[in-house]
Amino acid sequence: MRSATALGVASMLAWGAAYVPSAWLVETWPPILAAGARLTLAGLVLLAVLAALGRPLRPAVGPGVVGWLALTQTVLYYAAVFWGIERAGAGLPAVLANTDPLFVAVLAVAFLGEHLSRRQWLGLAVGLVGAAVVVWEGPLWPPAVSPEALVVVGGAAAWSVGTVVAARGVRGRAEPLALAGWQMTLGGVVLAVAGMIGEGPPDATGAREIALIVLLAAVGSALPLALFYTALIQAPAAEVSAWFFLVPVVGVLTAWPLLGETPTVQLVGGMVGVSAGLWLVLGTAGRGRLVDSPAPP
């Protein structure tokens, strides 16, 4: 296996595996506060590592871009994901939170003048149908949707809007790891403050909770992000991003034995559709100008 491929796969496995410890954390921590603790520490860890390695700490973009990405890709996205995990378990958010590349593809065509290949259009259709299968609740008619699923999809849509709006200001000049570190730190602080004010303190702050926060921040956020961007230096984005479909698969399959979440036929069908759609869309992204999907949770 090529080094870039190994790094890409490792990053996807780490992101997918982060859903289970996130579910363990929200057993005793309110979801918004839990998200804030994870992202604040992850951002600080990433910035500290960059400083230790002598890498740039300045994101090389304006504060408006950093603030916008912190709002859309940290505050709104992770608030929705952790809220969904608390109410619906880890499996459903693992599938729906990772639909953001599909929304990015639609918005990039509509607002950035980018073009999709036939394979990417097929992947977009398959992925959105898979997401609809998961969101749909109850009989085929009258239509009904899961409110938890809609919130998570809304978070994925917010991430994609953040990507597309900031694309022109970031392309070719941003320091991606520094930008990620600052947006996670800023957004994490906002989430933590909002959680303390709106949700109150956690029920427990023992060694278990601290260990989960450190695990999520370091192994579930900072490390896979660094691996992902290292892989992008060594290989085309299409080759690295094609493995993105592993994230929902790992999230659902690890929640089964570790959380006792037996996947339903509906969830499995949706996961297959979303994963296939991601593979079709991202596996050819390097041939065009399709905006690369940001890092998942």
Side-chain angles (χ1 to χ4, degrees):
M1 182 179 290
R2 288 184 56 186
S3 173
T5 300
L7 292 172
V9 171
S11 63
M12 305 306 169
L13 294 178
W15 275 319
Y19 284 91
V20 167
S22 296
W24 286 333
L25 182 59
V26 297
E27 292 174 356
T28 54
W29 277 52
I32 307 302
L33 181 60
R38 170 184 173 177
L39 272 298
T40 301
L41 182 57
L44 292 175
V45 167
L46 188 56
L47 292 174
V49 171
L50 290 176
L53 295 176
R55 298 285 299 276
L57 292 180
R58 297 184 62 181
V61 296
V65 174
V66 178
W68 172 252
L69 293 177
L71 172 64
T72 56
Q73 297 184 354
T74 300
V75 176
L76 297 179
Y77 177 81
Y78 280 98
V81 170
F82 272 73
W83 189 88
I85 290 174
E86 185 202 33
R87 286 161 175 76
L92 182 144
V95 174
L96 295 179
N98 293 288
T99 57
D100 62 282
L102 305 177
F103 292 111
V104 168
V106 173
L107 295 175
V109 170
F111 296 103
L112 297 181
E114 300 192 5
H115 302 281
L116 302 183
S117 66
R118 291 181 181 178
R119 168 175 166 164
Q120 288 172 311
W121 279 114
L122 174 62
L124 185 60
V126 171
L128 292 178
V129 168
V133 168
V134 179
V135 171
W136 202 274
E137 186 176 68
L140 291 177
W141 195 264
V145 296
S146 164
E148 293 84 6
L150 283 182
V151 169
V152 177
V153 170
W159 187 300
S160 63
V161 170
T163 298
V164 171
V165 170
R168 289 193 176 95
V170 170
R171 272 179 175 158
R173 60 193 184 97
E175 291 287 344
L177 289 176
L179 176 58
W182 285 113
Q183 77 177 57
M184 285 194 295
T185 303
L186 177 60
V189 170
V190 172
L191 284 168
V193 172
M196 287 297 294
I197 295 174
E199 298 172 323
D203 294 334
T205 55
R208 173 183 179 273
E209 287 71 29
I210 301 302
L212 286 173
I213 292 171
V214 172
L215 176 69
L216 286 168
V219 182
S221 294
L223 177 61
L225 188 66
L227 294 177
F228 180 76
Y229 281 116
T230 302
L232 288 179
I233 295 173
Q234 301 179 14
E239 181 179 327
V240 179
S241 299
W243 297 99
F244 193 84
F245 75 91
L246 290 173
V247 179
V249 174
V250 173
V252 171
L253 294 184
T254 54
W256 188 355
L258 297 177
L259 297 176
E261 295 181 14
T262 303
T264 64
V265 173
Q266 181 180 3
L267 182 62
V268 171
M271 178 190 70
V272 171
V274 169
S275 296
L278 293 173
W279 180 71
L280 290 169
V281 170
L282 295 177
T284 55
R287 301 176 187 174
R289 292 195 309 112
L290 178 63
V291 176
D292 296 333
S293 172

